[in-house]
Amino acid sequence: MFRRAFWFTAGAATGVWATNKVHRKIRSLSPESLAVKAADKALEAGDRLRTFAQDVRAGMAEREDQLNDALGRTAPDLDLPGQRPAIAYNRKDDH
């Protein structure tokens, strides 16, 4: 008698556990849940990309400083973005 009661209780508990597990999995695969997961992953990827870009910019600035020091160009006014040295061209048009 006790054996039957034990196995009946164990079977019922296993059935309840399996049912709950299946329901949780079904809820996690619902369209709303998948949309939330996708949005979270997109935000996480954006944060990682932003951090990577900041690291790249910092590395570029550090390397640029190293190269400027190696070339003896330590004054910050020598290199302004968007300005190029004037180059004189002597073109002969052979028309």
Side-chain angles (χ1 to χ4, degrees), residues 4-71:
R4 287 184 182 176
F6 170 76
W7 288 113
F8 177 78
T9 305
T14 303
V16 169
W17 175 80
T19 302
N20 285 335
K21 187 99 171 160
V22 167
H23 282 301
R24 271 190 234 134
K25 190 65 172 176
I26 289 172
R27 270 187 254 125
S28 73
L29 294 176
S30 70
E32 296 85 14
S33 178
L34 292 176
V36 169
K37 286 180 186 178
D40 288 344
K41 294 288 183 183
L43 290 174
E44 185 179 318
D47 289 341
R48 286 183 186 167
L49 187 60
R50 186 179 311 110
T51 302
F52 175 72
Q54 290 170 349
D55 290 346
V56 168
R57 282 189 209 110
M60 286 172 42
E62 182 180 340
R63 183 62 179 150
E64 185 176 358
D65 290 341
Q66 290 173 355
L67 291 173
N68 284 335
D69 288 343
L71 294 172

